[in-house]
Amino acid sequence: TQKKVLKWVRAGYSMMFVPIAKNEVNGPPRFKAKLEMVKRSLKRLGHSPNQIKKILASPEPVSMDFPNSKGLADHMDVARKEVSNCVKNRAVRIWADLPHKITKGKPKPFVISPLNLAYRARDGKWRLIINMMYINLWQKYFPIHFEAIRDFVIMLERLTEEMGEPPVICVADARAGYFHVSVNEAFWKFMGFRFEGVEFVYTVLGFGNAQSVKIYSTVETSKHDAMR
């Protein structure tokens, strides 16, 4: 695992695509419902049933340009601030500013997904979200297994017995954790969005990417296993 994480640190994480038919069998929960939602989105873009069938039969995502979520228009000031912050910390880059080796001379990213905002009530913060439901249909599914509270309690009991006293517990939480994991530049073109007429791409794991949780938890587990 640590070798894999070091590779991601050096070159960025590379997305893994599989045919949609495979995810229909071994994919995440509610996959078929999400597939139907994407079909409706493609229909709204003007694609015929036969065209949609051909698109979804492709082994990898086909180039697509989706409009932003309607709700974004109600919070443009917030969205403008969040996009600006992402550009400043280089989690997001302007497509037109990228070198030719990345853009290949293309005027826009290969896939432009809908942009939206999510409000977190517990701290009153907004989070920029790129709705990658279309891309996620092809992304290889990785089941996620978090440590159970029961395992944590057992570990504490064992350490207390071995040390003769309760151990010191440290809790760590990275700010904007997903932004600490880079994506390989060859895959930036799949994570595009448009805001106020400008095309952008994510260069890090974004909120909305189906593989973000698994990849980030793998990085965190590797880090904390070494400290343990």
Side-chain angles (χ1 to χ4, degrees):
T1 299
Q2 290 181 342
K3 288 183 179 179
K4 184 190 298 182
V5 170
L6 286 173
K7 183 179 179 180
W8 295 342
V9 170
R10 294 190 186 102
Y13 167 70
S14 295
M15 290 180 173
M16 286 178 270
F17 296 126
V18 297
I20 289 176
K22 187 172 182 178
N23 273 336
E24 285 188 275
V25 178
N26 302 311
R30 298 187 67 252
F31 181 83
K32 290 185 178 180
K34 294 173 182 177
L35 176 58
E36 292 304 315
M37 291 176 68
V38 171
K39 287 180 179 179
R40 291 194 292 270
S41 294
L42 292 173
K43 184 178 180 180
R44 285 195 292 270
L45 289 179
H47 295 286
S48 68
N50 285 338
Q51 288 174 326
I52 293 173
K53 185 177 181 179
K54 185 177 180 180
I55 290 168
L56 300 178
S58 173
E60 289 192 357
V62 174
S63 184
M64 203 61 60
D65 189 336
F66 293 96
N68 287 333
S69 301
K70 292 181 179 179
L72 190 71
D74 298 329
H75 307 284
M76 289 298 286
D77 289 343
V78 176
R80 196 172 293 113
K81 179 180 178 181
E82 291 302 313
V83 170
S84 177
N85 288 340
C86 286
V87 171
K88 286 178 182 177
N89 62 31
R90 298 180 73 81
V92 162
R93 301 281 298 275
I94 297 175
W95 180 256
D97 292 344
L98 295 175
H100 184 272
K101 69 173 184 175
I102 296 176
T103 66
K104 309 297 183 185
K106 302 295 184 181
K108 64 180 182 180
F110 190 72
V111 175
I112 294 181
S113 296
L115 190 66
N116 205 351
L117 287 167
Y119 180 71
R120 195 164 61 183
R122 73 169 186 260
D123 55 11
K125 289 185 178 180
W126 289 91
R127 176 177 289 172
L128 198 66
I129 294 179
I130 177 174
N131 183 349
M132 292 179 61
M133 191 176 294
Y134 170 72
I135 291 293
N136 289 342
L137 293 180
W138 283 272
Q139 292 215 64
K140 186 175 180 179
Y141 174 57
F142 297 108
I144 302 168
H145 303 286
F146 294 108
E147 292 182 340
I149 293 295
R150 177 186 59 198
D151 298 330
F152 181 66
V153 171
I154 291 173
M155 181 182 69
L156 287 180
E157 291 175 344
R158 177 177 58 79
L159 288 173
T160 300
E161 183 178 345
E162 292 176 356
M163 297 169 61
E165 60 181 2
V168 175
I169 301 173
C170 298
V171 179
D173 184 18
R175 183 177 180 181
Y178 288 175
F179 289 3
H180 294 270
V181 183
S182 298
V183 172
N184 186 283
E185 62 184 27
F187 294 88
W188 292 0
K189 66 180 183 179
F190 292 105
M191 301 195 299
F193 67 90
R194 182 181 291 111
F195 183 69
E196 296 189 321
V198 179
E199 286 81 21
F200 301 83
V201 288
Y202 269 93
T203 63
V204 296
L205 294 179
F207 295 100
N209 185 334
Q211 294 177 345
S212 290
V213 177
K214 177 64 177 180
I215 301 308
Y216 179 69
S217 63
T218 300
V219 172
E220 286 295 289
T221 298
S222 177
K223 180 178 69 178
H224 290 290
D225 278 351
M227 290 190 287
R228 284 177 174 177

